[in-house]
Amino acid sequence: MRTKLFLLFFLGMFVFSSFDAKAVSFYLGTGLGDSKGRVEHLHLDDKHAFVFSIGSHFNIPLFPVRTEIEYFNAKMQKDEIGDAKLIGYSLNTYVNIPLLPILVPYVGIGLGTMKEKFNSGVLDFSRQSNWNFVPQYMVGIDLDLPTVPVAGSMEYRYIERKFDFDVADLKSKYHIFMFKARVKF
């Protein structure tokens, strides 16, 4: 037991040894992208998605971490049949994998609340879901130049959720590809 505690203490000291006030930075971010979705068996075509975020970056040795609060908005459409719109807020955490000095891959997970709205012109149908907790999973690569206070990234995001409506529950899946930018302070 003492050996495990000693190893845990040693690992903690190693990870946080260079962690000081200068190792924390803040940023504002935004992103634009394409979104594809599927609601039950209806495939929705590309439309737009955008995000706005505010967050902090912790320069922890080995695996730097970012945490942000994000507003998310995506819209998809299927010809004249109808469209779907997602609106949400989430708390996201990203872990950088510093393999290269400038191009840095990352993985992320987010937990937030989202609302979906479906419209169908053919069926004269319009429904809005309740706010639901939704996990989302992200993977991407950052272009982070140390001398410039701006970072860019390409990101893939996956969201799957069962949304409850007044009349029925619908299962939906969304694939979102984004280009994002962050201004660091």
Side-chain angles (χ1 to χ4, degrees), residues 23-31 51-59 64-70 90-96 106 109 138 142 144 148-153 155 157 180-185:
V24 178
S25 61
F26 297 94
Y27 64 87
L28 291 175
T30 187
V51 295
F52 296 104
S53 60
I54 183 169
S56 58
H57 185 261
F58 302 95
N59 245 348
V65 175
R66 282 184 315 185
T67 302
E68 68 184 20
I69 297 172
E70 177 183 76
S90 65
L91 176 65
N92 301 332
T93 299
Y94 300 92
V95 176
N96 291 351
Y106 64 85
I109 188 167
M138 292 82 72
D142 274 340
D144 196 0
V148 180
V150 177
S153 62
E155 180 178 289
R157 184 177 297 208
K180 296 169 70 177
R182 294 186 313 274
V183 177
K184 300 179 268 184
F185 299 101

Side-chain angles (χ1 to χ4, degrees), residues 10 15 17-18 25 35 39 44 50 52 65 75-76 78 103 105 108-111 118 136 150 156 161 163 168 176 182:
F10 180 73
V15 168
S17 62
S18 67
S25 61
S35 56
V39 179
L44 300 166
F50 62 89
F52 296 104
V65 175
K75 187 173 182 178
M76 286 131 299
K78 180 65 175 173
L103 293 174
I109 188 167
L111 181 63
F118 298 100
Q136 51 186 335
V150 177
Y156 166 74
R161 185 65 182 158
F163 286 91
I176 297 134
R182 294 186 313 274

Side-chain angles (χ1 to χ4, degrees), residues 4 10 13 27 51 66 77 81 85 91 96-97 100 103 115 118 133 141 157 159 163 177:
K4 289 181 183 177
F10 180 73
M13 293 301 291
Y27 64 87
V51 295
R66 282 184 315 185
Q77 187 169 346
I81 294 175
K85 184 175 184 178
L91 176 65
N96 291 351
I97 305 163
L100 302 169
L103 293 174
K115 179 193 258 189
F118 298 100
F133 284 104
I141 190 161
R157 184 177 297 208
I159 302 169
F163 286 91
F177 297 93

